[in-house]
Amino acid sequence: MKTQLENIYNSALLEIDKASSINDIDEIRGKYLSRKGEFNEIKKGLKNLPDEDKRTIGALANEITQKLETSLKSKYEEFYKKELNEKLEKERLDVTLTGKYTPTGHIHPLTSTTNEIVAIFQSLGFSVVPDEHSPEVETEYYNFDMLNVPKDHPARDMQDTFYTKNAPNIILRSQTSGAQIHAMEGKNPPIRVIAPGRVYRNENINARKNNFFHQIEGLYVDKDITFGDLKGVLNEFIRIYFGASRPTRFRSSFFPFTEPSAEVDVQCIMCEGKGCKTCSGTGWLEVLGCGMVDPNVLRGVGIDPDVYSGFAFGMGVERLAMLKYAIDDIRLFFNNDVRFLEQF
Ligand code: DAH
């Protein structure tokens, strides 16, 4: 039995020696060491031996099984390392390669400019009107009549305002000023609101004009509101938005819904006031219209102009963005060219 054990051991060693893969090792282990393996068969026969032999042969069988186990294990590890190295060599990973580019979207510069302006006015105590007080599809009533714009005013002309076929008085709003009326109707002062939104005009498109653009309307009605308050708020806004060093000027102007009225110009950033194509040679770009709310407008919404006064303004978002980021053509905002948009 002893020789039988040694023979099995030797042939197992020979096989291990000839093995060339992990698979071979697994097979050899199965053949010799599994429950149905050759050693187990012999161990089963041990019970028929005399006690003395049982002990010596049993001990020898255990010793041989362990040695075999050790040889299998070291061979296995050798193959494992070899196969792993081959695999690593084949599937080499170049960690210096750049990753795949996954473009991510971000906020459009007009939206971020609007958000920035809104935040400034909120910090000055203004709140944003609800959407239903600032509709893009408006009636002439809110867009013109209630704003003291005469029936024969040229702004109502087909050349400026987009009329719809739905009804003769339904238009695409030409200004956000109608939001003033919605904000005042049925309410008592103090009223301190802003209304950002899109407006439409039938313009010839060029570097400074598009047939739709964005405005932010502002309105403050209370007792004792003066032109000084208006100037104070707008100067503060400009100081925060542009920084203190940007030259600005108030220029007197006319709007049917304010009296007196003014416009604010900001020095052209493209030419620093020298005059260029963007500012049509003037060195300035108009960014907003403003004034003291006309008593007729207050009366129209049931606010007594002898008790209350107010100021209003409407600013162009595209103009303000162009002047901050040195964008020389308004059309860039609407072409959706990612080379432009990516810069913000
Ligand atoms: N709505 C005017 C425009 O689009 C701008 C404007 C001027 C708004 C004076 C105002 C204002 O609120 O008081 O040209």
Side-chain angles (χ1 to χ4, degrees):
M1 212 159 186
K2 196 177 160 211
T3 20
Q4 201 187 346
L5 270 174
E6 273 162 357
N7 284 344
I8 298 175
Y9 176 59
N10 286 333
S11 64
L13 282 186
L14 258 176
E15 281 184 46
I16 293 175
D17 210 39
K18 275 193 268 166
S20 63
S21 69
I22 285 183
N23 250 350
D24 291 351
I25 297 296
D26 287 340
E27 260 171 41
I28 299 168
R29 177 178 282 110
K31 180 169 167 194
Y32 292 98
L33 296 178
S34 72
R35 265 204 300 136
K36 285 193 183 138
E38 299 202 15
F39 278 106
N40 238 5
E41 292 303 318
I42 292 188
K43 280 183 191 165
K44 273 184 212 156
L46 280 178
K47 60 176 182 290
N48 307 323
L49 294 178
D51 280 356
E52 183 60 18
D53 292 352
K54 236 187 234 169
R55 217 171 297 128
T56 49
I57 301 288
L60 182 67
N62 280 341
E63 192 196 320
I64 286 178
T65 329
Q66 255 163 35
K67 278 204 226 158
L68 212 51
E69 200 62 83
T70 317
S71 320
L72 281 167
K73 202 171 157 219
S74 80
K75 211 47 178 186
Y76 179 92
E77 273 163 11
E78 186 186 310
F79 287 137
Y80 178 79
K81 270 190 209 141
K82 195 169 144 238
E83 285 176 23
L84 186 67
N85 279 337
E86 279 168 12
K87 207 168 162 192
L88 284 177
E89 194 61 38
K90 239 192 295 168
E91 298 168 9
R92 189 183 226 123
L93 192 71
D94 184 353
V95 289
T96 64
L97 274 179
T98 43
K100 264 196 201 140
Y101 173 60
T102 336
T104 48
H106 63 90
I107 293 176
H108 189 280
L110 281 181
T111 309
S112 59
T113 301
T114 303
N115 292 346
E116 188 184 350
I117 297 170
V118 166
I120 294 173
F121 281 104
Q122 282 174 329
S123 77
L124 296 173
F126 288 77
S127 48
V128 179
V129 299
D131 284 349
E132 63 270 25
H133 284 175
S134 184
E136 281 180 34
V137 180
E138 256 295 11
T139 55
E140 282 195 278
Y141 177 83
Y142 286 100
N143 196 79
F144 295 128
D145 298 348
M146 294 298 279
L147 288 163
N148 204 31
V149 181
K151 287 270 184 236
D152 56 359
H153 194 283
R156 295 203 186 201
D157 201 289
M158 292 297 286
Q159 279 162 23
D160 275 319
T161 306
F162 285 112
Y163 283 77
T164 67
K165 290 189 175 130
N166 297 27
N169 63 332
I170 296 186
I171 59 168
L172 296 183
R173 68 174 168 190
S174 63
Q175 51 185 357
T176 44
S177 301
Q180 290 184 36
I181 306 302
H182 289 285
M184 288 189 286
E185 253 178 356
K187 281 194 217 69
N188 293 320
I191 296 163
R192 188 158 43 172
V193 292
I194 48 169
R198 181 174 290 182
V199 302
Y200 301 83
R201 283 187 205 171
N202 195 1
E203 302 267 18
N204 286 327
I205 298 171
N206 59 35
R208 273 168 304 136
K209 286 182 174 164
N210 192 45
N211 51 16
F212 66 85
F213 55 99
H214 299 80
Q215 291 186 328
I216 296 178
E217 193 76 17
L219 174 73
Y220 188 9
V221 183
D222 202 352
K223 287 179 178 150
D224 305 321
I225 300 293
T226 67
F227 200 88
D229 295 316
L230 169 62
K231 270 192 102 167
V233 166
L234 290 180
N235 278 333
E236 184 62 1
F237 160 71
I238 287 163
R239 190 188 63 78
I240 300 172
Y241 181 75
F242 285 114
S245 57
R246 185 67 70 86
T248 332
R249 66 180 187 192
F250 271 76
R251 195 165 32 80
S252 79
S253 184
F254 172 80
F255 296 100
F257 35 94
T258 43
E259 183 59 35
S261 304
E263 279 173 321
V264 171
D265 299 336
V266 174
Q267 193 183 74
C268 180
I269 188 182
M270 261 60 78
C271 60
E272 290 181 330
K274 291 185 200 77
C276 65
K277 167 178 123 280
T278 311
C279 59
S280 27
T282 63
W284 298 91
L285 272 171
E286 178 210 321
V287 294
L288 64 88
C290 62
M292 300 305 292
V293 182
D294 194 291
N296 279 341
V297 174
L298 292 176
R299 233 174 265 123
V301 291
I303 294 175
D304 185 350
D306 292 328
V307 181
Y308 295 103
S309 55
F311 67 71
F313 56 85
M315 50 183 66
V317 179
E318 283 79 357
R319 290 283 176 89
L320 286 162
M322 288 166 84
L323 279 166
K324 185 155 175 168
Y325 302 111
I327 298 161
D328 63 1
D329 196 319
I330 194 171
R331 290 166 292 196
L332 286 166
F333 289 117
F334 309 113
N335 292 343
N336 289 330
D337 184 335
V338 284
R339 290 169 302 179
F340 169 74
L341 296 173
E342 263 170 0
Q343 298 174 52
F344 298 90

